[in-house]
Structures are given as structure tokens and as C-alpha cells.
């Protein structure tokens, strides 16, 4: 193709010798970096962040009655997060594997010297970081309540931690559904349905209805799958390790299932 | 370097690959030929570890692809079919990403990227987004990714697909040159590439290897291999054919073409005819009959004919009948 020999010239040998075997963490970071850069390569990322902030503001001030509450807290902000994430998180997660499969790049990625779980974790971390960034950009709210009164910063911190964990759980679910289909739209819809279940299973209006005809142990069992009771504590400023564990297990389970789905596609 | 033993891949009830075995050593370029759907890509996906075989074994550099995939994958550079690449990256970003996954950092990474950019002529598009590249450039970008770590084993799935004739020529030259020091497996359905780049070729059809040999050996399986073609002036076609057929060394003769006073004919030798005997008797015949002999040469055999005869047995036979008439 050119006059440069690409066979084993001395410099080429030097290149091979310089290659070290990257650690699993190194691979995860390389993949995460690429994925994160992928978000910002298109205007979609900025559009997403703007929509997130606008919606968060709208719910907090207009629907949640931030000022009418007459207290310096972010309750009216966090209470909407399970619903806000219902559509926004699948929108962020839908492309993770669907796009790799549609474009065929999954074949490049998985024939590199990386394991499937490194790729899964790397991609998940990148999109979680992206969501964390969007969440962090709500910081003016914190300053607002600080200006208005004397909020309990511990409670606010807890709310943010809980919100981030919940976003991670939704995101892992989206990651799993995006491995199911080449189509981002399909993976978005399936993800919204699953996340909706995670909300409704423990949402008081639904559980109150269930109690009418189902035995209490069943209602509690179903509600145990819901994000609602587990996010509740964080909003009140209670850092319960069992709640954190719930979100983490949703993530681990979903990412593990993602790996199973990807493996089954390849097995044909 | 590549050792494939009795590879089988079933998709549901369908056997896409059915008992394929071959080896590729360093310094060899193995052409993988076959009609569409023959199982070439599926075999390559198993060789590169993208999909696991239903049964059988793949070893690369002595590492089993299923048991010990990472060391095996480190040795391979892979250009998948249709040259996929991350469309949301620039060419430079994409190559940098590939280099990092190959364990190249800092100066080594910069050098590796520069080297493949030069080899694959990508200077002009280095900071262009991959989704704006023409097909030829995207192909070369993906090829650059495959050779970024100067791998010992290259697996290329239809590397010249979608390229213009100049680019095809460049890629073949590159493959041949790299093949001097690497083990290369590449698939194609273009027969001229076998001559242009391969040291050995395998023909695969419906999941099975149906021929395996050097391009020369494969050509000799052709019906016309060893036949002698001649161009004469001085007699009508049927007369030439009849006189040629009556020679004791000739089994069969055909008129290929007749244009004005010029006749193109072909003589098929008897099985026991010795080397050069047919040419000699044809030459003497021409002198005896006072024909003007314009051309006389022994056919090497034609790959496309071998390919057709092997992969489409029925149509192959039908066409042979036509030439005999
Ligand atoms: N993932 C898959 N699921 C089902 N069938 C497949 C799959 N991949 C390939 N095949 C089938 O296997 C056969 C071989 O395909 P392939 O290896 O792509 O052929 P080639 O590359 O030689 O054109 C084809 O009939 C194809 O339809
Ligand atoms: Mg193919």
C-alpha cells in the first residue's frame, strides 16, 4: 500500500515489545473513556442534560411546590426522581449494546483481548458517570436552599447518594434490555416497562390496591422488588445499608444477566 | 500459528460450518474461498473467538481459543466482514482506542498509530469522524485497527470488498507483503485474489472444505488443465477439429471460435500422452496441412472453472456439455 514495510522491521518489533498486558482495570477504563467520549461526540448528551435539568426544575418548583412548603429542604426535588429517571435513564442506556450490535462493532470489541465482563462494566460505568454529571449539575438547588434557610446538609447528601444509586439500578436494567435487541427503540421500551414495574410494585397507590385481595406476605414480597421503599429512607436522610444493598444487587444482577444475554447471542 | 480441527457450528438445526480443519503457518497466506453463505465468516468468527464452536477446536499460537482466549486474542488482528468501526469517533480516536486495548500506551501508542496511518494512507482523514468516511476509507481504517499491534496472525474477512480496483490492488499487495512474516487467513469470493495474494487456498462450500491446495494445484483440477489451445489460418473450423481429433495423442477437440479465416481450437490430450507430445504433433499437423500457426499454448487450468465445478456440481456439468458440442 505504501513503501513503508509493515513487516517485522526493527521499529515494528520495538512496538510489539512495548505492548504490555493491560490490567482488567486498565481495559475497563479504556472502554469507559471511549463510551463517555461517545456521549459527548453528539449534541444528544447536551440535549439530555438540558432536558433533565428543566424537568427536574419543573417538578421541583411547579409540581412539588418547593416554595409553598416553607421549609429549607430538597424533599420536593428528590421525590420526583423515580419518575424522572423512568424515561431519562433508559434513554441514556438504550444505546449501550444495541448500537454495538447494530453497527457490528461488538465483533471488534469482543475479539480484542478483553473479557465480556470488562466491556460490560466499562460501558456501564461510563453511562453511570454521565448520569452522575447530570445530577451534579443540579447543585444550584442546594445553594438555593442554603440561601433560603438552614437545611440539613446530611439529608441532602443522603438524597443525592440514594438518587445516584437508583439511577445506577435503572441504568443496569437498561443495559440488560439493550443487549436484547439491535433496535434502540425496542430496548428503550422494554427498559421503561421493567423500570415501571420496579416503581409500581412498591408505590403506595398500587400496594393499597393489592392489599384488598392479595395476602400481605405477597404484597410485601412484590413490594420488596420496588425501588420506592428503598429510596424512601435516603430521602429522609437515613442511610440504611440494606437499601444501598438493594440497589447494588439490582445492578449486579442486571449486569450479570447482560453477560448471559451477550453470551447467548454469540452461541447462536 | 492457526490450527483448526474439525470445527462445527450449528445455528439451530442448520450446520453453518461442518467439520472444517486446516492450519496456517507463519509465512503463509491462506485464501478462504467459497460462495456466499458457505460458512467463511462463521469460521473466522470462531477462529477469532467471537463465537464459540459447537464442537471442534481452535488454537492460535498454541493457545486454545475457548480455554485460554486472552493470550490467543493478543496474537490476532481481525478485520470483520463489512469493516465495522465506531461511527461516533474520529479515525485518530478510534485507532488510539484500539492501540490502548492492545496494551500500547504513551509513545508506543503514538508510534503504532503513525505507522498504520502511513501504511493504510489515512493521513487525510485522521481527524474526520468515522461516519463521514467513504467506504474505502472506512475499510482501511478498520484494517489499520487490525494491524496496529503488528500481530503475528491476521484474520481478514473479505478485505477487498467494496474497494475500487486501485484500492483492491493495494490491499492485495499489502497482504502478500505482510504474509512473508505473518500467518494470514483471508476470505474472498474473488478468484483473482487467490493468484494475487495467496500461497495456499481452501475452497469451502455449504460448511465443508471441498478443496485445499496451492493455487497451482487447484488449477490443475480444472478440466482444461493440460489441454493445448491453438490459433490457425488455412482451413475451416470443422476441418481443423476433425484433423486434430484424429491425432493419436488427442482424446477430444473443440472449436472455440471462428472469425473470418482464423480458427481457435483446443485439443485435449490422451491420458497416456507424454509431456510436449501433443504440442509437437499439432505443430507437425499444421506444417503437413500447410496451416498458418499463429499461437500454440498449454492451458494451466482456470480457477473459476474449478470453483464452479466444485461448488455448483450440476451447472458445472451442464456447461461442460456445451463446450463439447
Ligand atoms: N447468527 C446466525 N444465526 C443463524 N444463521 C446464521 C448466523 N450467522 C450465519 N448464519 C448462516 O450460516 C451460513 C454461513 O454464513 P456465513 O458464514 O456468513 O457465510 P459466508 O461468510 O461464507 O458468506 C449462512 O447460511 C447464514 O445464513
Ligand atoms: Mg461472509
Amino acid at each position: 500500500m505504501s513503501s513503508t514495510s509493515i513487516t517485522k522491521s526493527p521499529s515494528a518489533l520495538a512496538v510489539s515489545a512495548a505492548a504490555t498486558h493491560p490490567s482488567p482495570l486498565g481495559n475497563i477504563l479504556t472502554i469507559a473513556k471511549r463510551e463517555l467520549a461517545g456521549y459527548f461526540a453528539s449534541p444528544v448528551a447536551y440535549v439530555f442534560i438540558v432536558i433533565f435539568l428543566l424537568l427536574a426544575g419543573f417538578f421541583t418548583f411547579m409540581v412539588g411546590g418547593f416554595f409553598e412548603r416553607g421549609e429549607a429542604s430538597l424533599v420536593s426535588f428528590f421525590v420526583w426522581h423515580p419518575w424522572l429517571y423512568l424515561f431519562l435513564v433508559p434513554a441514556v442506556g438504550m444505546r449501550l449494546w444495541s448500537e454495538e450490535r447494530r453497527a457490528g462493532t461488538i465483533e471488534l470489541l469482543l475479539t480484542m483481548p478483553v473479557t465480556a465482563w470488562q466491556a460490560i462494566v466499562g460501558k456501564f460505568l461510563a453511562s453511570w458517570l454521565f448520569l452522575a454529571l447530570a445530577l451534579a449539575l443540579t447543585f444550584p438547588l442546594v445553594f438555593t436552599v442554603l440561601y433560603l434557610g438552614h437545611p440539613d446538609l446530611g439529608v441532602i447528601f443522603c438524597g443525592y447518594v440514594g438518587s445516584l444509586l437508583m439511577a445506577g439500578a435503572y441504568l443496569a436494567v437498561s443495559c440488560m434490555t439493550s443487549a436484547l435487541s439491535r433496535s434502540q427503540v425496542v430496548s428503550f421500551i422494554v427498559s421503561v416497562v421493567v423500570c415501571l414495574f420496579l416503581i409500581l410494585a412498591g408505590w403506595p397507590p398500587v400496594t393499597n390496591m393489592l392489599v384488598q385481595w392479595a395476602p400481605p406476605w405477597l404484597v410485601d414480597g412484590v413490594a420488596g422488588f420496588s425501588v420506592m421503599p428503598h429510596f424512601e429512607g435516603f430521602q429522609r436522610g437515613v442511610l440504611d445499608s440494606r437499601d444501598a444493598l438493594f440497589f447494588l444487587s439490582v445492578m449486579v444482577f442486571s449486569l450479570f444477566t447482560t453477560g448471559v444475554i451477550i453470551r447467548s447471542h454469540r452461541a447462536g | 500459528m492457526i490450527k483448526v480441527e474439525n470445527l462445527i457450528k450449528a445455528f439451530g438445526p442448520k450446520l453453518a460450518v461442518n467439520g472444517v480443519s486446516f492450519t496456517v503457518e507463519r509465512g503463509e497466506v491462506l485464501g478462504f474461498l467459497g460462495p456466499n453463505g458457505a460458512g467463511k465468516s462463521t469460521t473466522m468468527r470462531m477462529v477469532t473467538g467471537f463465537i464459540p464452536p459447537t464442537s471442534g477446536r481452535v488454537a492460535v499460537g498454541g493457545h486454545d481459543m475457548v480455554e485460554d482466549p486472552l493470550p490467543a486474542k493478543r496474537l490476532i488482528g481481525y478485520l470483520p466482514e463489512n469493516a465495522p468501526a465506531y461511527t461516533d469517533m474520529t479515525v485518530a480516536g478510534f485507532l488510539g482506542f484500539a492501540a490502548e486495548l492492545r496494551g500500547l500506551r504513551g509513545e508506543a501508542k503514538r508510534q503504532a498509530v503513525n505507522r498504520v496511518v502511513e501504511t493504510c494512507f489515512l493521513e487525510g482523514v485522521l481527524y474526520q469522524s468515522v461516519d463521514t468516511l467513504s467506504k474505502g476509507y472506512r475499510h482501511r481504517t478498520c484494517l489499520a485497527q487490525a494491524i496496529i499491534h503488528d500481530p503475528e496472525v491476521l484474520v481478514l474477512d473479505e478485505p477487498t470488498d467494496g474497494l475500487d480496483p486501485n484500492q483492491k490492488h493495494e490491499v492485495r499487495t499489502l497482504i502478500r507483503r505482510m504474509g512473508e512474516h505473518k500467518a494470514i487467513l483471508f476470505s474472498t469470493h474473488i478468484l483473482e485474489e487467490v493468484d494475487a495474494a495467496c500461497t495456499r487456498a481452501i475452497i469451502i462450500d455449504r460448511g465443508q472444505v471441498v478443496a485445499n491446495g496451492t493455487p497451482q494445484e487447484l488449477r490443475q483440477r480444472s478440466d482444461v488443465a493440460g489441454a493445448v489451445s491453438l490459433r490457425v489460418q488455412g482451413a475451416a473450423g470443422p476441418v481443423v477439429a476433425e484433423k486434430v481429433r484424429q491425432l493419436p495423442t488427442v482424446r477430444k477437440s473443440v472449436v472455440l471460435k471462428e472469425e473470418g479465416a482464423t480458427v481457435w481450437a483446443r485439443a485435449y490430450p490422451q491420458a497416456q500422452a507424454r509431456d510436449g507430445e501433443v504440442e509437437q504433433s499439432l505443430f507437425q499437423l499444421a506444417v503437413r496441412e500447410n496451416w498458418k500457426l499463429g499461437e500454440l499454448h498449454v492451458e494451466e487450468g482456470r480457477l473459476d472453472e474449478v470453483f464452479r465445478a466444485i461448488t455448483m456440481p450440476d451447472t458445472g456439468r451442464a456447461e461442460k456439455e456445451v463446450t463439447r458440442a
Side-chain angles (χ1 to χ4, degrees):
Chain A
M1 217 174 223
S2 79
S3 55
T4 337
S5 168
I6 91 134
T7 54
K8 291 264 178 196
S9 64
S11 73
L13 275 175
V15 169
S16 326
T20 51
H21 297 167
S23 62
L25 189 63
N27 286 336
I28 289 173
L29 290 181
T30 302
I31 291 167
K33 206 172 69 182
R34 195 215 76 75
E35 196 67 37
L36 197 59
Y39 279 110
F40 289 101
S42 75
V44 175
Y46 304 97
V47 171
F48 172 86
I49 288 177
V50 169
I51 291 180
F52 174 76
L53 294 177
L54 285 179
L55 282 180
F58 174 75
F59 279 114
T60 307
F61 293 108
M62 315 304 278
V63 188
F66 176 78
F67 292 114
E68 290 77 11
R69 297 178 86 92
E71 52 179 278
S73 83
L74 287 182
V75 170
S76 62
F77 170 61
F78 288 120
V79 77
W80 297 107
H81 281 200
W83 301 98
L84 201 55
Y85 288 154
L86 177 59
F87 292 100
L88 290 177
V89 173
V92 169
M94 65 185 181
R95 52 166 247 160
L96 282 176
W97 289 100
S98 304
E99 181 60 16
E100 292 270 353
R101 290 185 58 207
R102 193 195 56 75
T105 44
I106 187 171
E107 197 167 345
L108 280 182
L109 186 60
L110 296 182
T111 53
M112 289 282 181
V114 301
T115 60
W117 75 264
Q118 288 167 4
I120 291 168
V121 171
K123 288 168 84 71
F124 170 77
L125 284 182
S127 35
W128 202 13
L129 200 62
F130 177 75
L131 288 174
L133 180 73
L135 187 60
L137 287 177
T138 61
F139 70 90
L141 273 178
V142 181
F143 288 122
T144 309
V145 287
L146 274 175
Y147 173 76
L148 291 177
H150 301 283
D152 184 339
L153 283 178
V155 173
I156 291 180
F157 176 76
C158 254
Y160 272 108
V161 170
S163 177
L164 191 59
L165 284 173
M166 186 169 58
Y170 280 33
L171 185 64
V173 168
S174 305
C175 185
M176 175 176 77
T177 62
S178 89
L180 282 173
S181 166
R182 269 167 224 275
S183 153
Q184 295 197 22
V185 178
V186 171
S187 82
F188 175 81
I189 293 170
V190 177
S191 176
V192 169
V193 169
V194 175
C195 290
L196 189 62
F197 168 80
L198 287 184
I199 293 179
L200 294 185
W203 192 41
V206 173
T207 45
N208 292 344
M209 208 174 67
L210 283 180
V211 164
Q212 317 268 317
W213 50 270
W217 60 265
L218 184 63
V219 176
D220 286 346
V222 171
F225 281 106
S226 173
V227 295
M228 294 308 241
H230 298 286
F231 185 51
E232 174 86 342
F234 285 105
Q235 290 180 68
R236 285 186 281 107
V238 185
L239 251 180
D240 189 333
S241 60
R242 276 170 304 178
D243 291 335
L245 207 62
F246 165 79
F247 288 120
L248 290 175
S249 19
V250 172
M251 287 183 236
V252 170
F253 171 80
S254 301
L255 293 182
F256 177 79
T257 310
T258 307
V260 172
I261 293 170
I262 289 173
R263 177 177 290 267
S264 77
H265 286 313
R266 291 159 72 195
Chain B
M1 293 298 291
I2 306 177
K3 194 161 161 46
V4 169
E5 280 168 34
N6 207 11
L7 212 53
I8 293 176
K9 182 71 196 182
F11 291 113
K14 187 184 150 90
L15 287 176
V17 174
N18 186 5
V20 167
S21 304
F22 60 85
T23 57
V24 190
E25 296 303 332
R26 194 189 300 274
E28 266 191 323
V29 180
L30 179 65
F32 214 46
L33 288 167
N36 282 328
K40 302 183 294 293
S41 299
T42 307
T43 305
M44 294 182 138
R45 287 181 177 141
M46 289 189 278
V47 169
T48 53
F50 179 58
I51 56 177
T54 305
S55 74
R57 211 176 93 91
V58 172
V60 177
H63 304 283
D64 188 288
M65 189 45 94
V66 175
E67 307 286 322
D68 197 15
L70 291 191
K73 287 177 178 177
R74 282 194 190 103
L75 295 174
I76 304 180
Y78 179 35
L79 170 68
E81 195 170 26
N82 301 324
Y86 288 102
T87 48
D88 53 19
M89 302 180 93
T90 63
V91 172
F94 176 63
L95 295 177
F97 171 66
E100 280 184 29
L101 284 185
R102 294 298 185 175
L104 297 164
R105 299 287 146 89
E107 182 61 13
K109 169 178 152 185
R110 205 183 54 78
Q111 273 179 11
V113 170
N114 286 346
R115 183 175 52 86
V116 296
V117 162
E118 200 176 329
T119 309
C120 299
F121 285 127
L122 294 169
E123 289 93 347
V125 295
L126 204 47
Y127 298 104
Q128 200 170 318
S129 166
V130 168
D131 65 352
T132 63
L133 294 179
S134 67
K135 187 156 187 194
Y137 270 115
R138 208 189 58 197
H139 237 86
R140 284 190 269 169
T141 302
C142 199
L143 180 62
Q145 160 282 131
I147 58 178
I148 195 140
H149 54 306
D150 197 26
E152 297 185 49
V153 175
L154 263 180
V155 178
L156 310 171
D157 199 349
E158 306 204 0
T160 59
D161 182 47
L163 300 185
D164 68 34
N166 286 335
Q167 295 167 334
K168 276 191 166 75
H169 176 75
E170 284 164 6
V171 169
R172 283 174 207 154
T173 314
L174 181 69
I175 290 174
R176 203 174 44 221
R177 200 171 49 217
M178 289 192 299
E180 290 165 15
H181 301 274
K182 299 182 193 297
I184 301 185
L185 172 64
F186 88 95
S187 74
T188 179
H189 50 245
I190 305 172
L191 290 156
E192 52 193 284
E193 294 190 338
V194 176
D195 277 317
C198 297
T199 57
R200 210 150 51 80
I202 281 181
I203 301 179
I204 163 170
D205 183 35
R206 276 163 279 183
Q208 289 178 309
V209 174
V210 289
N212 181 354
T214 63
Q216 190 62 34
E217 285 166 359
L218 290 181
R219 243 188 257 113
Q220 273 162 10
R221 296 177 58 158
S222 155
D223 205 36
V224 298
V228 181
S229 297
L230 69 161
R231 173 161 60 92
V232 294
Q233 287 179 331
V239 179
V240 172
E242 188 51 28
K243 297 258 183 199
V244 168
R245 201 189 55 75
Q246 281 169 4
L247 291 171
T249 51
V250 173
R251 160 172 63 93
K252 184 179 102 179
S253 72
V254 290
V255 173
L256 301 172
K257 194 164 78 161
E258 197 170 352
E259 230 176 68
T262 311
V263 175
W264 281 263
R266 183 176 291 155
Y268 292 84
Q270 294 281 9
Q272 69 273 22
R274 284 193 307 275
D275 239 15
E277 223 173 16
V278 180
E279 295 96 299
Q280 196 184 13
S281 52
L282 281 171
F283 180 73
Q284 286 162 351
L285 174 69
V287 173
R288 217 164 42 236
E289 299 288 333
N290 207 12
W291 294 339
K292 220 164 94 191
L293 189 59
E295 191 186 324
L296 185 73
H297 73 265
V298 182
E299 296 287 348
E300 283 190 347
R302 299 212 338 246
L303 269 179
D304 58 344
E305 194 188 322
V306 179
F307 184 78
R308 253 207 327 267
I310 293 179
T311 58
M312 299 172 68
D314 303 331
T315 41
R317 207 165 299 128
E319 290 189 20
K320 266 178 252 159
E321 296 302 330
V322 174
T323 32
R324 188 169 299 148

